[in-house]
Amino acid sequence: MENHLQTKDWGLGLKGHVIIAGPCSAETPEQIERVCLDMKNENMIPNLFRAGIWKPRTRPGSFEGIGEDGLKWMEIVRHHLNIPITTEVGNAAHVELALKHNVDVLWIGARTTVNPFAVQEIADALKGVDIPVMVKNPMNPDLQLWLGALERLQTVGINKLAAIHRGFSDSYDKRFRNKPNWSMPIHLKREWKGMEVINDPSHIVGNRAGILETSQRAINFGLDGLMIETHHDPDNAWSDAKQQVTPATLKQILSQIDFKSTGESENPSERLNDLRQAVDHLDDQLLDLLQERFSMIDQIGAYKRENHLTVFQSDRWKYVMESRTQKGVQKNLSEKFMKELLYCIHEESVKRQEKQLREADPVKR
């Protein structure tokens, strides 16, 4: 990926972990003012103030945002808090209005990220505009869609970019409103070096009680900031009431988080360097063992080919899975990890053996 400007270089005075807070939706000018005054009184002023102006909803009839009037109310934030403002845009018309009202940062929501046509429309509307844009992950865990949305923006000249991790739809997981799937933001940071990912615990947990724990986990995983929905009267909010917190609660949450360094030290300590070298040595040994194991697999494949046996042997697979998983758990490795590891190894083993059978098959395709 090409270089882009990180949040500290957006010209908005951002540094360290970025804290974004504000109501799910702009409701009235009085609401915006009350949230700002409560933030000011609590000395809990975020780096960016968020408020939804347009709210995509699954079914018609729900509150879908106040529209352009809400953009006018954002001047209240500038007056009381003197901080940048950010809102979600879902099409070119939204972009035009947000720019008209001098919104400082835009974000693209999860429902929009899933649609490359919609993302391209927004990107085309931003061509030649110098404004930061944040992109939420798509509803489904599709890394390429997430990366693609960021790439479309960069292609039209937007180089102030960040990602937002708000979790993924999963009707089977009742613990979360949107399952975090922590590997996904980590994969994004691996694929696009230097890309900052801001965690949205409000949408992940869907309730106030879980925000602190999810926020801490995000920081532990090396994510670069938090977007927490904040309302002066959450119980009576017009949208997402259960997941919003008061400015006082936001202050309490942030005070309990152990914020860790987001960047790798260019000059690690001697102790850390020694530990990393030990891990490197162990990884070399693991790779040697895997090479030896697959060499044995190739011999098993040759035997199966000569004796007209199928690649997959269900009884053997069941024994390997159960016995290795049990041994792994005894060595303090999680059952989930062991099963995922064994599935990967087995899949590669099957591919190698099946290739041997295909190469020996006299039938012309």
Side-chain angles (χ1 to χ4, degrees):
M1 305 294 179
E2 296 181 9
N3 292 333
H4 67 285
L5 295 179
Q6 294 188 317
T7 53
K8 63 183 177 62
D9 299 314
W10 287 1
L12 299 175
L14 307 178
K15 57 183 179 179
H17 290 89
V18 177
I19 304 300
I20 305 171
C24 174
S25 305
E27 299 165 0
T28 65
E30 292 77 17
Q31 170 231 21
I32 296 296
E33 182 166 38
R34 180 65 183 277
V35 174
C36 289
L37 290 175
D38 283 1
M39 286 180 169
K40 201 170 184 177
N41 291 337
E42 292 290 342
N43 193 26
M44 183 58 260
I45 300 176
N47 302 118
L48 284 171
F49 187 97
R50 61 144 291 153
I53 303 299
W54 302 278
K55 302 298 297 181
R57 287 293 178 252
T58 303
R59 301 179 68 180
S62 302
F63 174 60
E64 296 184 327
I66 208 73
E68 185 179 2
D69 284 344
L71 293 172
K72 301 173 185 176
W73 305 338
M74 290 301 195
E75 289 301 322
I76 297 171
V77 179
R78 302 187 202 278
H79 173 71
H80 285 296
L81 302 181
N82 192 31
I83 58 174
I85 58 176
T86 180
T87 197
E88 176 180 346
V89 292
N91 55 44
H94 293 169
V95 170
E96 182 179 353
L97 288 171
L99 295 177
K100 173 184 172 183
H101 290 278
N102 301 313
V103 173
D104 299 287
V105 180
L106 306 178
W107 88 73
I108 295 176
R111 296 171 187 263
T112 305
T113 306
V114 299
N115 186 345
F117 292 117
V119 175
Q120 190 62 54
E121 177 185 336
I122 293 170
D124 291 340
L126 288 170
K127 190 172 184 178
V129 179
D130 180 22
I131 189 170
V133 183
M134 304 180 292
V135 179
K136 286 196 172 186
N137 62 254
M139 301 286 288
N140 52 316
D142 189 329
L143 180 61
Q144 298 308 310
L145 269 179
W146 201 2
L147 285 167
L150 289 159
E151 290 169 340
R152 288 176 187 276
L153 292 163
Q154 190 180 59
T155 298
V156 299
I158 300 295
N159 69 342
K160 297 174 181 176
L161 292 168
I164 300 176
H165 169 233
R166 50 83 74 197
F168 305 88
S169 294
D170 187 338
S171 58
Y172 298 103
D173 195 327
K174 303 304 181 185
R175 295 170 299 168
F176 301 100
R177 179 180 177 186
N178 294 288
K179 190 173 182 177
N181 197 344
W182 294 106
S183 63
M184 194 63 65
I186 293 172
H187 285 324
L188 180 74
K189 291 172 76 70
R190 287 173 181 161
E191 288 283 329
W192 193 319
K193 185 174 176 57
M195 177 58 66
E196 291 167 293
V197 181
I198 295 165
N199 178 257
D200 178 352
S202 303
H203 278 89
I204 288 176
V205 294
N207 63 73
R208 296 168 206 138
I211 288 177
L212 173 58
E213 179 184 356
T214 298
S215 297
Q216 184 63 71
R217 293 196 72 189
I219 300 304
N220 291 348
F221 279 117
L223 302 197
D224 305 279
L226 300 168
M227 176 186 274
I228 300 178
E229 293 187 346
T230 309
H231 194 290
H232 74 283
D233 184 13
D235 288 334
N236 292 303
W238 293 7
S239 58
D240 289 349
K242 293 181 180 179
Q243 68 191 39
Q244 299 194 64
V245 300
T246 64
T249 301
L250 175 65
K251 182 177 182 178
Q252 184 180 30
I253 289 171
L254 294 178
S255 70
Q256 295 180 71
I257 295 175
D258 178 14
F259 285 97
K260 304 175 189 301
S261 173
T262 59
E264 291 187 15
S265 172
E266 295 182 1
N267 299 297
S269 67
E270 184 176 349
R271 172 61 174 161
L272 180 58
N273 197 48
D274 288 344
L275 290 170
R276 286 175 172 173
Q277 287 184 12
V279 169
D280 292 343
H281 178 65
L282 290 170
D283 284 345
D284 287 340
Q285 290 180 305
L286 279 173
L287 292 173
D288 288 341
L289 285 172
L290 282 173
Q291 181 185 38
E292 186 175 348
R293 188 186 194 281
F294 284 120
S295 176
M296 297 301 297
I297 292 297
D298 291 341
Q299 293 181 49
I300 291 173
Y303 178 87
K304 289 179 179 178
R305 180 187 64 205
E306 293 168 3
N307 290 274
H308 305 287
L309 298 174
T310 60
V311 168
F312 180 67
Q313 302 285 321
S314 60
D315 289 343
R316 172 63 180 174
W317 165 238
K318 181 180 179 182
Y319 168 74
V320 169
M321 173 62 77
E322 292 178 352
S323 63
R324 273 46 160 194
T325 299
Q326 183 179 7
K327 288 180 180 178
V329 170
Q330 291 171 353
K331 296 179 183 295
N332 203 30
L333 300 173
S334 74
E335 181 178 346
K336 181 176 184 291
F337 168 75
M338 286 304 304
K339 288 183 175 179
E340 289 179 351
L341 174 64
L342 290 168
Y343 273 121
C344 288
I345 291 175
H346 184 256
E347 184 177 359
E348 178 64 18
S349 299
V350 168
K351 286 180 180 178
R352 294 174 76 107
Q353 293 183 40
E354 198 271 335
K355 181 181 177 182
Q356 285 183 308
L357 291 182
R358 281 191 290 109
E359 291 174 347
D361 190 349
V363 177
K364 301 295 184 182
R365 290 179 172 84

